Amino acid sequence: GTEIIARQTILSEGCRGSISEEVMKYFNLTQNCDPQIYGIGFKEVWQISADNTNYEPGLVIHGLGYPVPSDVYGGNFIYHAADRQVLIGCVIGL
């Protein structure tokens, strides 16, 4: 396999990818820690009309908690993307 020599390595292959699983096993990274938790989310993409004065490309809004109850973690987001698109979503812990 490939040998990686670095002071820091970031594994960004997705949730529990095969390389991450090997690294966690090799370095015993799952000892004395909380179990993995999961969440579910949704996202909508809206096309905003040209005359909408509230559209600000690059605007990012994050909300924590609302609209989920206080005993559940989660939150929401609104991203003003390019081409007059607005991405709206929510993530809730399972």
Side-chain angles (χ1 to χ4, degrees):
T2 302
E3 186 173 335
I4 300 173
I5 301 172
R7 291 178 68 184
Q8 293 182 356
T9 303
I10 298 173
L11 301 175
S12 56
E13 61 175 338
C15 182
R16 303 296 290 246
S18 59
I19 296 173
S20 297
E21 288 287 336
E22 285 190 40
V23 169
M24 287 187 285
K25 184 177 179 182
Y26 182 83
F27 290 106
N28 211 16
L29 298 177
T30 57
Q31 292 289 66
N32 302 319
C33 65
D34 292 331
Q36 183 174 354
I37 54 175
Y38 297 90
I40 190 166
F42 65 87
K43 175 178 70 175
E44 289 190 2
V45 179
W46 292 5
Q47 188 70 43
I48 303 300
S49 64
D51 61 343
N52 189 318
T53 58
N54 295 314
Y55 173 72
E56 298 177 40
L59 178 67
V60 173
I61 301 171
H62 289 135
L64 298 175
Y66 182 83
V68 298
S70 62
D71 62 336
V72 177
Y73 70 90
N76 53 68
F77 59 88
I78 302 173
Y79 302 145
H80 288 214
D83 300 323
R84 306 202 67 76
Q85 290 187 334
V86 176
L87 291 65
I88 301 170
C90 183
V91 178
I92 300 170
L94 298 177

